[in-house]
């Protein structure tokens, strides 16, 4: 097993022994082996959705825990093929993306229509597929930030995917259109028995000031999560909160002083707990993204996993940190993330 405390270093005590006071763990519906029976089955999801959600929970090294470790590789569209795969050109080949997810012990692999469609007959029955149906592409000049449908729910169903994924840029000029498109797509996916996963990202140039980037503030991302579960996302993917006070600093929208005085502190676990609370107190699982690759990936991946788990989150979806390095190192990093969720010593704060 990974030496989690050793990797956390000076932050070990702060992260491993913190107890949330503003939103206590007794308020949450925490992940676990019985999560579908205990939480999801009370809702309106069809039996096919429950079956496919259970298939996600029952695959890979985290099978039977109620936690998720997912490999997302849609960056060839989102960030360009060159920027994404030049560090490790083997991943220009879609089969190697799926092989990494399998060898890395992931619950599922999320990627584009082209990637998953190219290898569906060989692998759709070996690991759960999550087809990302919309993307922001960077070949348009000047650069435009919008999510455009690249695939349909029916194409995901036909290739044997168990889930569809989509992004909404909440806060952007185009968000109302994206909300409508994805609401309709998710309803159709549920009709066909597929799981829905929403990348609930905030996006507006005004959200980044000279002082802070409020795209990762707990209050704004928390509201994005609240909108995501309103669209009946079964799982919400969110960037980990790094600060707070976006509403008050930007002087827009509505909030309450109690969000900042009673419900949250500046502790990273408390900030992420607020994100989880906005997912109907954990009735909808929240997975945090792993972020871009850098010089300290193993430490940062484990740190993010510890914060997510202790906040009441459902797992991690980490891509670039895994595939932008040699294959075996990518497997090691994915396994280290999973070790956090397999550790009985790391509990919900």
């Amino acid at each position: 097993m990974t030496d989690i405390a050793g990797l956390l270093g000076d932050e070990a005590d702060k992260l491993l022994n913190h107890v949330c006071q503003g939103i206590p763990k007794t308020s949450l519906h925490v992940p676990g082996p019985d999560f579908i029976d205990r939480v999801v089955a009370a809702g309106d999801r069809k039996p096919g959705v429950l079956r496919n959600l259970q298939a996600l929970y029952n695959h890979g090294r985290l099978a039977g825990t109620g936690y998720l470790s997912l490999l997302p590789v849609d960056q060839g569209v989102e960030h360009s093929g060159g920027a994404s795969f030049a560090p490790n050109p083997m991943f220009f080949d879609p089969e190697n993306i799926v092989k990494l997810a399998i060898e890395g012990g992931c619950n599922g692999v999320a990627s584009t229509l082209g990637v998953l469609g190219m290898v569906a007959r060989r692998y759709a029955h070996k690991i759960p597929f999550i087809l990302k149906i919309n993307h922001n592409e960077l070949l348009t000049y000047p650069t435009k930030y919008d999510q455009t449908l690249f695939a349909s729910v029916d194409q995901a169903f036909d290739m044997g995917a168990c889930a569809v994924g989509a992004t909404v840029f909440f806060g952007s000029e185009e968000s109302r259109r994206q909300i409508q498109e994805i609401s309709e797509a998710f309803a159709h996916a549920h009709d066909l028995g597929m799981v829905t996963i929403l990348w609930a990202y905030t996006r507006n140039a005004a959200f980044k000031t000279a002082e802070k980037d409020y795209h990762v503030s707990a209050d704004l991302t928390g509201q994005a999560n609240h909108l995501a579960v309103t669209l009946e996302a079964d799982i919400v993917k969110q960037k980990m909160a790094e600060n707070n006070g976006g509403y008050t600093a930007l002087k827009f929208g509505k909030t309450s002083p109690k969000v900042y005085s009673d419900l949250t502190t500046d502790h990273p676990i408390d900030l992420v707990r607020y994100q989880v609370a906005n997912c109907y107190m954990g009735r909808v699982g929240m997975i945090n993204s792993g972020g871009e690759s850098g010089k300290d990936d193993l430490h940062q991946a484990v740190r993010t996993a510890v914060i997510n788990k202790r906040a009441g989150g459902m797992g991690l979806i980490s891509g670039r940190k895994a595939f932008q390095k040699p294959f075996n190192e990518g497997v090691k990093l994915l396994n280290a993330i999973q070790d956090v969720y397999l550790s009985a010593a790391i509990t919900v704060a």
Side-chain angles (χ1 to χ4, degrees), residues 7-332:
L7 283 170
L8 293 177
D10 294 341
E11 282 192 302
D13 180 66
K14 173 183 177 181
L15 296 180
L16 295 177
N17 296 314
H18 177 72
V19 177
C20 293
Q21 302 290 344
I23 304 173
K25 67 179 179 181
T26 53
S27 303
L28 301 181
H29 303 272
V30 298
D34 63 342
F35 188 77
I36 290 180
D37 289 337
R38 174 167 45 92
V39 179
V40 185
D44 62 358
R45 306 304 194 263
K46 292 185 175 182
V49 178
L50 304 184
R51 180 196 63 221
N52 277 319
L53 191 57
Q54 193 69 62
L56 269 177
Y57 289 141
N58 283 352
H59 194 85
R61 292 184 71 228
L62 297 184
T65 65
Y67 288 103
L68 297 172
S69 168
L70 303 177
L71 178 72
V73 188
D74 61 346
Q75 290 88 346
V77 177
E78 295 279 344
H79 302 285
S80 90
S84 301
F85 303 130
N88 196 356
M90 68 179 290
F91 288 107
F92 276 111
D93 186 337
E95 186 170 18
N96 289 326
I97 293 172
V98 181
K99 284 182 176 179
L100 177 61
I102 293 172
E103 292 298 317
C106 294
N107 299 72
V109 58
S111 197
T112 67
L113 175 65
V115 166
L116 297 181
M118 186 60 66
V119 296
R121 292 185 182 274
R122 180 169 292 180
Y123 289 104
H125 58 295
K126 296 180 180 179
I127 184 170
F129 276 13
I130 302 159
L131 177 59
K132 184 73 162 37
I133 60 173
N134 70 350
H135 303 286
N136 177 52
E137 53 82 23
L138 291 183
L139 196 57
T140 300
Y141 185 82
T143 301
K144 181 177 175 63
Y145 295 99
D146 190 11
Q147 287 287 328
T148 304
L149 290 168
F150 272 59
S152 70
V153 171
D154 288 328
Q155 286 172 304
F157 181 81
D158 288 343
M159 76 163 61
C162 78
V164 296
T167 299
V168 171
F169 283 154
F170 293 109
S172 70
E173 291 184 10
E174 300 84 4
S175 63
R176 296 294 181 91
R177 190 207 78 243
Q178 294 168 15
I179 288 169
Q180 184 174 3
E181 288 176 350
I182 301 311
S183 176
E184 293 172 356
F186 277 11
H188 186 40
H190 282 154
D191 282 343
L192 295 175
M194 286 189 289
V195 176
T196 59
I197 304 177
L198 191 70
W199 278 238
Y201 288 169
T202 60
R203 181 61 62 84
N204 192 304
F207 292 176
K208 187 173 184 178
T209 70
E211 292 76 30
K212 290 183 181 179
D213 185 356
Y214 291 105
H215 287 100
V216 288
S217 70
D219 54 355
L220 296 188
T221 56
Q223 181 60 19
N225 286 358
H226 196 76
L227 296 177
V229 294
T230 303
L231 293 175
E232 290 208 326
D234 298 309
I235 298 165
V236 175
K237 177 190 177 187
Q238 184 56 264
K239 294 181 180 179
M240 181 160 282
E242 297 178 11
N243 57 60
N244 208 354
Y247 277 123
T248 54
L250 302 172
K251 296 180 173 58
F252 88 109
K254 290 186 177 182
T255 186
S256 166
K258 289 189 174 183
V259 171
Y260 316 101
S261 62
D262 295 7
L263 301 186
T264 63
T265 70
D266 60 358
H267 194 289
I269 294 175
D270 287 341
L271 295 177
V272 177
R273 173 65 57 86
Y274 187 72
Q275 292 180 321
V276 173
N278 275 279
C279 292
Y280 295 162
M281 283 295 187
R283 286 182 180 271
V284 174
M286 187 194 74
I287 55 178
N288 282 126
S289 54
E292 62 185 293
S293 182
K295 296 180 179 180
D296 197 20
D297 283 343
L298 186 59
H299 164 246
Q300 290 298 329
V302 167
R303 180 183 186 273
T304 303
V306 168
I307 294 170
N308 173 272
K309 184 180 183 182
R310 301 215 66 227
M314 190 167 275
L316 223 59
I317 179 165
S318 187
R320 284 171 286 178
K321 280 182 168 59
F323 70 76
Q324 288 186 337
K325 51 177 51 67
F327 191 93
N328 289 339
E329 290 184 25
V331 170
K332 179 182 177 182

